[in-house]
Amino acid sequence: MDVKIAIAQIDITFGNPQKNREKVQKWIEMASLKSPDIIVFPELWDTGYDLSRLEEIADSNGASSIKLLQQLAKKHKIHIVGGSVANIQENGIKNTLIVINDEGKLIKEYSKLHLFQLMNEHKYLAPGNNDGLFTLMDFPFAAFICYDIRFPEWMRKHVLKGAKALFVVAEWPSARLDHWRSILITRAIENQCFVIACNRVGSDPNNEFAGHSLIINPWGEVIAEGKDEEELIIQEINLSDVESVRKRIPIFTDRRPEYYN
Ligand SMILES: NC(=O)CCC(=O)C(=O)O
């Protein structure tokens, strides 16, 4: 039941997908030397938050970034929670999280449901309309994008459908680092599951980003945490911890949903 996770806590070059793709390739090659099962990248890792230029720099359906990740996943036999990529779809530009298995197959696309007005997402992006559930190595997981973590009901919905670990990809500014840590620890405690959260470091013309990627166990303990510079965080998790915590404090049998609406 052990799963070895690698979080690629990278900086992102603003509005330069080519350079960012080269970096991601290097980081996957470097990470593969440590043989992780799953590697995670941050939100909008190919374009950064260069939202006003997305029409020009984002891919149609994210094709170039997805193709690159598919080749690398297959070559290095590694599952990729491929952060999110900006992609042009028929009904607008989306901020879409992609999951690729170790055979290079695209198994999940989840477009950010909640758009973050403080960073102007609502002016340039269209929201998604599907869930973040997926299965890797026969385990049920779910994935979310940054601002989504402020919506506990959205994450709980995925846990009620079986997710045992919640992946989060982010470009979360340093100004709200305390919110980032507190919210993610709370989501792990209240859902009694793992939280695996990858945030970028560095800055763009509008924000400085916090790093502090986190892996939190179902008891709410931080078992791995990045600092505020680029780093590869490696941590094994044991998914049977989810059942142990749920036996000790059985919130999923004690809840009274008939009173909640
Ligand atoms: N990229 C984001 O969604 C940022 C969310 C954020 O900073 C917040 O405070 O929420």
Side-chain angles (χ1 to χ4, degrees), residues 43 49 112 116 119 121 146-147 150 171-173 176:
E43 181 180 19
Y49 260 85
K112 191 172 188 176
F116 190 51
M119 283 162 70
E121 289 186 338
C146 208
Y147 183 47
R150 290 190 185 269
E171 290 211 29
W172 193 284
R176 293 179 296 284

Side-chain angles (χ1 to χ4, degrees), residues 60-197:
S60 176
N61 295 314
S64 310
S65 293
I66 292 176
K67 193 169 160 211
L68 173 72
L69 295 186
Q70 286 182 299
Q71 286 165 351
L72 293 168
K74 194 168 172 186
K75 179 170 174 202
H76 297 288
K77 285 263 145 252
I78 185 169
H79 304 290
I80 303 179
V81 175
S84 68
V85 296
N87 66 105
I88 301 171
Q89 299 187 6
E90 263 174 21
N91 51 355
I93 304 179
K94 305 253 173 93
N95 176 351
T96 305
L97 182 142
I98 52 187
V99 181
I100 292 160
N101 73 12
D102 63 357
E103 290 167 356
K105 191 164 171 224
L106 177 63
I107 61 158
K108 182 73 191 179
E109 290 179 89
Y110 161 68
S111 294
K112 191 172 188 176
L113 192 74
H114 306 96
L115 298 182
F116 190 51
Q117 299 195 35
L118 200 56
M119 283 162 70
N120 287 329
E121 289 186 338
H122 61 303
K123 293 188 186 152
Y124 299 101
L125 297 173
N129 56 11
N130 67 328
D131 70 43
L133 290 164
F134 65 97
T135 302
L136 269 184
M137 305 166 71
D138 291 331
F139 295 122
F141 295 126
F144 306 92
I145 307 178
C146 208
Y147 183 47
D148 282 336
I149 68 171
R150 290 190 185 269
F151 300 86
E153 59 275 53
W154 181 231
M155 297 178 86
R156 172 55 67 92
K157 180 175 168 171
H158 291 73
V159 174
L160 291 176
K161 289 193 168 169
K164 299 271 186 279
L166 309 177
F167 286 84
V168 177
V169 305
E171 290 211 29
W172 193 284
S174 310
R176 293 179 296 284
L177 172 59
D178 50 348
H179 290 197
W180 166 256
R181 292 188 87 263
S182 303
I183 292 171
L184 290 171
I185 292 169
T186 305
R187 295 292 162 268
I189 296 171
E190 72 193 359
N191 291 303
Q192 300 181 315
C193 64
F194 283 94
V195 168
I196 297 156

Side-chain angles (χ1 to χ4, degrees), residues 200-223:
R200 68 163 287 188
V201 293
S203 55
D204 71 10
N206 303 306
N207 286 291
E208 189 192 307
F209 297 95
H212 284 264
S213 298
L214 290 163
I215 301 183
I216 306 162
N217 72 17
W219 192 248
E221 293 162 333
V222 173
I223 54 173

Side-chain angles (χ1 to χ4, degrees), residues 10 20-28 41 45 69:
I10 56 171
N20 291 319
R21 282 185 202 118
E22 283 163 19
K23 172 177 275 189
V24 161
Q25 172 157 2
K26 247 197 241 155
W27 277 64
I28 291 176
F41 284 93
W45 62 263
L69 295 186

